[in-house]
Amino acid sequence: HTRQASTPPTVWRSRWSSSSFGMNLQDAPTDTPSPVVPSAPSKTDRNLMIFLCALACFLNYADRINISVAIIPMSEEYCWTVTDQGTVLGAFFYGYLPMQIVGAELSKRYGGKIVLGASALWWSFFTLVTPLAADLGLPALLLARFLMGLGEGLALPTIVHFLAAWIAPEDRAFTMACIATGANLGTTFALLVCPAIVAWASWRVVFYAFGAAGFLWGGVWMRLARNGEGGAGGGAAAAAFSFDVRLYKKVVTSGACWAPMLCQFCDGFGTFGIMHWLPTFFKTEIGQPVQHLGITFLPYLVMALLANVAGWLSERVRSQAGLSLTAVRKLFSCVALSGAALFVVLFSRAQNKESAIILVTLCLAFKVLAIGGFEATYFDVAHPKYAGTVKALGNSFAALSGIVSMAYTSAMYEHVKSWRLVFASLGAVYLAGALAFALLGSATEVIHFPLEPAEHPDNFVIDESL
């Protein structure tokens, strides 16, 4: 193979992502120039598509997090152990895990409108029937959560593909900031509203209301949404399902690619542990009644506000301090994960609700800095044509961390009978992620276009540019 002398003109690159959940509008490039667009979409139509996609992310995250509150009365009603609760929380990720790459491929073949609409109706249906499944028994509930995860796993890669046909390169950062904000606000809304619904009605109403909202969104989406030029089936957008073994071989033999994936696993391990057990911690260790658990929304509101700052801040630090891009990525990754480690340990020792909510907010606020660190590294180490696939692999590591985290935290609690010790142990996982990126992290492109056979395919190189 020989290197091409120039990069195809249709390739667009952005060096950092504004999304705290790690997606980017990078999957649109193709090997051949894009067809000429007859007319640019109107600003009104474009903003409507962005709003509907942000609302989909809002519902996506609200539906997955509402059970962290509902599981408290559910476990009392059905006499579940903490291990049972962890199994229920983890079942979602078994469905979510395999759908990252599948979602992108389905969108390319059938268009984002159909895939996102169908996935939202799918996960909303299984949200709606959660109470029925719980009444049928634990196996039925686990199946419902698994199937819900399948639908939710399609959403983010589908949104990326759908919006790629609508958004100009200069608007990508703003667009992904909107999507990230929708996701964080969905988590915030669920944690704020669910305790009140449980107190005033029942935990069953939580799932009925959230599921019905998804069906309402689906109806509006199918009526108003339309694929942008090149975003529906046909042509380059309908490329066949293809998996280049050379790409995956380069990923698994590159320390620079492993660094963000290991970080994403460690970050997800700690964050999913906090996210799903935080209401339980406040109830059992701080003594907050269920109707007052709405205070747990605050960390996620702060994350939503800070998500748009981290990327800008990393570029600011780089330009002002004259640091290399690799140095900035390592700095932000290590500060984010080390800060999260410190404050989750301090949080585990909090004795009242005021200090507890402040410390856990600081923990998750530090974590947002990863947007300027390892979250952006996927788009540094891989050519834009492959960055989306590499990032999808990273998202799969994050989903895997959810499975492992739920199993670990529930098993450890059964052993030590203390949520304080469980939360404190998450600090070690955050630190492991910081160490991994300090050793392996790099902002140098290692996966080029076109792909070439590696000269030394067995080498696993640690970047020593600092």
Side-chain angles (χ1 to χ4, degrees):
H1 299 271
T2 57
R3 295 290 304 277
Q4 288 188 353
S6 60
T7 301
T10 54
V11 170
W12 298 327
R13 164 160 289 193
S14 172
R15 281 295 183 183
W16 60 272
S17 165
S18 293
S19 171
S20 62
F21 47 77
M23 301 300 293
N24 199 299
L25 297 177
Q26 304 265 7
D27 283 345
T30 62
D31 293 346
T32 58
S34 299
V36 176
V37 178
S39 60
S42 71
K43 184 176 181 180
T44 300
D45 287 344
R46 184 170 63 246
N47 288 342
L48 176 61
M49 298 304 109
I50 294 172
F51 173 75
L52 290 174
C53 287
L55 191 56
C57 275
F58 179 98
L59 294 170
N60 184 281
Y61 274 69
D63 284 348
R64 75 175 66 174
I65 200 63
N66 57 20
I67 198 170
S68 66
V69 174
I71 203 165
I72 296 174
M74 290 172 75
S75 63
E76 295 172 352
E77 179 174 333
Y78 297 111
C79 300
W80 290 339
T81 66
V82 170
T83 299
D84 293 333
Q85 295 175 52
T87 303
V88 171
L89 294 174
F92 168 90
F93 295 102
Y94 284 95
Y96 192 88
L97 173 62
M99 304 310 290
Q100 300 305 301
I101 295 176
V102 173
E105 294 297 335
L106 286 175
S107 299
K108 292 174 186 176
R109 174 165 288 202
Y110 300 110
K113 175 180 177 177
I114 293 297
V115 177
L116 183 57
S119 68
L121 294 176
W122 177 277
W123 90 62
S124 296
F125 172 78
F126 286 104
T127 299
L128 195 66
V129 301
T130 295
L132 174 61
D135 287 337
L136 293 175
L138 197 58
L141 178 59
L142 296 179
L143 178 61
R145 293 294 295 175
F146 169 81
L147 293 173
M148 177 186 171
L150 287 178
E152 290 225 350
L154 294 173
L156 294 182
T158 301
I159 287 172
V160 168
H161 175 80
F162 177 82
L163 290 178
W166 280 93
I167 308 303
E170 63 271 17
D171 294 328
R172 286 175 176 167
F174 167 76
T175 301
M176 293 314 298
C178 293
I179 301 305
T181 300
N184 285 318
L185 289 179
T187 302
T188 301
F189 178 82
L191 291 173
L192 182 62
V193 171
C194 288
I197 296 177
V198 170
W200 296 339
S202 117
W203 63 265
R204 298 170 188 274
V205 177
V206 169
F207 297 104
Y208 297 149
F210 281 58
F215 276 93
L216 179 61
W217 176 90
V220 174
W221 171 260
M222 295 307 294
R223 181 176 179 82
L224 298 180
R226 59 187 177 88
N227 292 305
E229 293 293 335
F241 289 76
S242 61
F243 298 91
D244 195 324
V245 175
R246 294 173 301 166
L247 172 59
Y248 294 96
K249 188 174 184 179
K250 284 181 176 291
V251 170
V252 300
T253 57
S254 169
C257 292
W258 273 103
M261 290 191 293
L262 290 174
C263 276
Q264 197 153 2
F265 179 89
C266 294
D267 176 44
F269 189 104
T271 303
F272 287 131
I274 293 172
M275 178 184 295
H276 286 292
W277 295 116
L278 189 60
T280 299
F281 180 95
F282 270 85
K283 182 177 185 295
T284 59
E285 301 291 347
I286 305 298
Q288 288 290 104
V290 172
Q291 61 267 29
H292 293 159
L293 291 178
I295 62 171
T296 58
F297 85 92
L298 183 60
Y300 303 98
L301 178 60
V302 172
M303 289 179 70
L305 296 175
L306 293 180
N308 302 322
V309 177
W312 169 85
L313 183 61
S314 67
E315 295 295 339
R316 182 77 172 175
V317 169
R318 182 188 177 196
S319 61
Q320 293 294 317
L323 298 175
S324 68
L325 188 57
T326 294
V328 171
R329 296 291 186 244
K330 289 190 174 185
L331 174 64
F332 273 69
S333 297
C334 291
V335 170
L337 295 176
S338 298
L342 171 63
F343 283 105
V344 75
V345 172
L346 294 176
F347 163 71
S348 71
R349 300 176 62 85
Q351 298 300 316
N352 57 67
K353 66 178 182 180
E354 291 80 13
S355 62
I357 199 64
I358 289 172
L359 290 169
V360 74
T361 299
L362 287 171
C363 168
L364 296 180
F366 262 91
K367 201 183 71 64
V368 174
L369 293 174
I371 293 174
F374 68 82
E375 287 280 9
T377 307
Y378 292 101
F379 310 105
D380 301 324
V381 300
H383 185 278
K385 180 175 176 60
Y386 308 117
T389 300
V390 177
K391 180 56 192 161
L393 291 173
N395 286 348
S396 298
F397 267 74
L400 177 63
S401 75
I403 296 172
V404 179
S405 180
M406 292 302 97
Y408 163 79
T409 49
S410 57
M412 184 173 180
Y413 177 82
E414 294 285 19
H415 180 67
V416 301
K417 300 299 182 183
S418 170
W419 284 114
R420 295 184 184 277
L421 292 178
V422 172
F423 273 72
S425 69
L426 298 179
V429 183
Y430 279 130
L431 285 178
L435 179 62
F437 202 85
L439 293 175
L440 299 173
S442 173
T444 301
E445 183 175 297
V446 296
I447 299 180
H448 309 291
F449 176 81
L451 288 172
E452 300 174 339
E455 293 182 7
H456 304 287
D458 296 328
N459 283 357
F460 187 85
V461 180
I462 294 178
D463 181 77
E464 297 178 349
S465 59
L466 288 185

